[in-house]
Amino acid sequence: MYRSRPPAAVRPALAVARHFTDAAHRASQKPFDGSLDLLPHTELPGRFGWSHYGLMLPSLPDPHRYLSLMVMAGMTGLHAFDFPQEATPDDPQDIVVASASSGADSAYVREVLSIRRDGRFAPDRAEFGTLASITGTHPEFDIRIHAGDLDATLTMTCRPNPTRFVKSPVWQHLGHVGRYRGQVTHRGATTEISGMGNLEYARSISPYVVLRRATNRQIPLEWFSYHVVDLPGERQILFTQLGVSGSIVETNVIRRSLDGTVDHKVHEGYHRILETDDTPTVDSHGNEQLLPRVFEFGCSGISVVGTYDCPPRFAIGRGYISGYEARVRVDGEEFTTRGYAEHIDERPHRRRNGSGAATTGMP
């Protein structure tokens, strides 16, 4: 079981990080100021080392059930997100790990690309080889995805104020929440789609800005759990939890909506693995992970019990992306909906079925 309170030695650094995440939450109450564009910014001297682009649609019709685009440009220096062997040894910044997937058969691709060779970037455009593109400026973006037997095109019209996860001189991360409309084609069958989605962009410093070479010495981020859950009335729950060296270092639960209500954020929360698969899943590098089958997360007034019903896609750092059916309780209201998950578990010792459910954070 992870300790819910981090070691004393790292608490001062975490207090500084909490200051910036709370400052970001306050900034989420204001209209987007256009300060972030779609450039990867991995070549600015001494500044940003990696960028992230992501599209998360939790609720699509069968057979898709969810739609995801996950892109990491540049190396992060975090164990959970990097495979140094995939980068060019003398320039770890010139790498894009991009994936796209839905829950349908053969609707999944993960590619390792070059920023210079395979990417095309402008302030209002980001292309990742033939896999995907994002074009536009806030509040409207067009997204195109081609992944195996899946082709998707959609337009997202975003809320005036994004959800800011982090806002600091060295790390900025936001999620544009908005309504999307478009279509998904799979093996000749086209489905019209619409709903509420999340479009993310982030950029941050990295040790590789200084090192300029790939290395196996990384910050020991072992546990990462991120969820986007749709609620009735154009509302969403966002859940994030990070674990480093055997301790939970951050948990955030955010409630947000499209009706102009201010995002509500709490730092307390928990995550429990209730059932796991019977056998580990092996990624393309030969690493094994025993993946959850049923799990629960929440905080005061919120409980989400998720049951995966889509294939796990090796697509987020050393972990997996998938979709699930969610049984949700919010302030006494109960309903069944859908959720989207990013899950990385690199802990060296994990409790499995028959020995008790693994729990992270305080229930």
Side-chain angles (χ1 to χ4, degrees):
M1 180 184 295
Y2 257 175
R3 295 188 298 270
S4 60
R5 186 169 174 80
V10 302
R11 289 175 199 160
L14 293 177
V16 173
R18 177 71 58 81
H19 166 77
F20 285 114
T21 60
D22 287 345
H25 181 61
R26 292 190 295 271
S28 297
Q29 302 174 28
K30 301 175 182 178
F32 182 58
D33 59 7
S35 58
L36 296 185
D37 52 39
L38 294 177
L39 291 168
H41 290 288
T42 55
E43 297 183 354
L44 295 179
R47 191 90 186 267
F48 301 109
W50 60 269
S51 298
H52 156 62
Y53 308 78
L55 174 71
M56 302 88 177
L57 308 184
S59 302
L60 262 66
D62 288 338
H64 300 285
R65 301 187 177 181
Y66 80 93
L67 181 65
S68 167
L69 172 65
M70 172 56 60
V71 180
M72 301 294 288
M75 296 271 284
T76 68
L78 302 169
H79 173 75
F81 288 99
D82 289 347
F83 284 100
Q85 64 268 36
E86 291 186 331
T88 303
D90 60 351
D91 191 0
Q93 299 308 94
D94 185 35
I95 182 174
V96 176
V97 180
S99 68
S101 66
S102 81
D105 292 339
S106 302
Y108 163 61
V109 165
R110 180 185 185 271
E111 295 183 345
V112 180
L113 308 170
S114 161
I115 291 177
R116 298 189 188 97
R117 191 173 58 248
D118 304 307
R120 293 193 181 97
F121 298 99
D124 61 351
R125 185 172 186 84
E127 286 188 39
F128 314 102
T130 60
L131 178 68
S133 66
I134 304 170
T135 59
T137 56
H138 185 273
E140 189 162 291
F141 296 90
D142 294 319
I143 300 101
R144 295 180 178 271
I145 296 172
H146 173 70
D149 289 339
L150 169 73
D151 286 284
T153 61
L154 61 101
T155 296
M156 180 175 289
T157 303
C158 301
R159 191 180 70 176
N161 52 312
T163 298
R164 291 188 180 268
F165 302 105
V166 183
K167 188 176 189 293
S168 78
V170 297
W171 183 10
Q172 302 163 39
H173 191 163
L174 59 80
H176 290 296
V177 58
R179 298 182 183 94
Y180 67 86
R181 183 172 296 276
Q183 57 183 220
V184 178
T185 300
H186 178 253
R187 295 179 176 174
T190 298
T191 303
E192 299 295 323
I193 59 172
S194 62
M196 183 176 177
N198 184 42
L199 181 65
E200 293 193 8
Y201 177 76
R203 61 192 187 204
S204 177
I205 61 169
S206 164
Y208 294 103
V209 172
V210 177
L211 294 175
R212 306 306 297 187
R213 59 182 176 81
T215 175
N216 286 315
R217 300 183 66 179
Q218 300 166 319
I219 297 171
L221 178 66
E222 303 166 331
W223 168 268
F224 174 78
S225 185
Y226 178 62
H227 299 259
V228 182
V229 180
D230 275 352
L231 304 181
E234 295 190 315
R235 298 174 294 159
Q236 283 183 340
I237 295 172
L238 306 180
F239 176 89
T240 309
Q241 192 173 72
L242 306 175
V244 175
S245 299
S247 295
I248 294 299
V249 297
E250 184 70 351
T251 302
N252 288 315
V253 185
I254 297 175
R255 283 193 268 181
R256 65 181 183 179
S257 70
L258 287 177
D259 66 1
T261 303
V262 174
D263 291 357
H264 180 263
K265 175 182 177 180
V266 298
H267 290 294
E268 295 76 21
Y270 65 92
H271 184 289
R272 297 192 188 101
I273 296 176
L274 304 179
E275 294 181 25
T276 66
D277 290 342
D278 295 327
T279 58
T281 298
V282 183
D283 66 32
S284 58
H285 294 277
N287 302 307
E288 295 185 350
Q289 253 183 73
L290 193 64
L291 298 181
R293 182 182 300 151
V294 183
F295 59 91
E296 179 183 11
F297 67 81
C299 63
S300 177
I302 295 176
S303 169
V304 177
V305 178
T307 302
Y308 285 109
D309 56 8
C310 297
R313 308 299 197 184
F314 177 55
I316 170 69
R318 295 174 177 265
Y320 295 81
I321 284 172
S322 193
Y324 57 88
E325 181 182 82
R327 290 183 286 116
V328 180
R329 186 178 71 252
V330 177
D331 298 334
E333 182 184 7
E334 297 186 17
F335 41 84
T336 300
T337 181
R338 294 207 57 80
Y340 160 93
E342 300 170 4
H343 175 84
I344 306 174
D345 189 354
E346 285 284 297
R347 293 173 290 175
H349 303 291
R350 286 165 287 181
R351 302 173 69 178
R352 301 185 177 189
N353 292 347
S355 62
T359 303
T360 58
M362 291 297 291

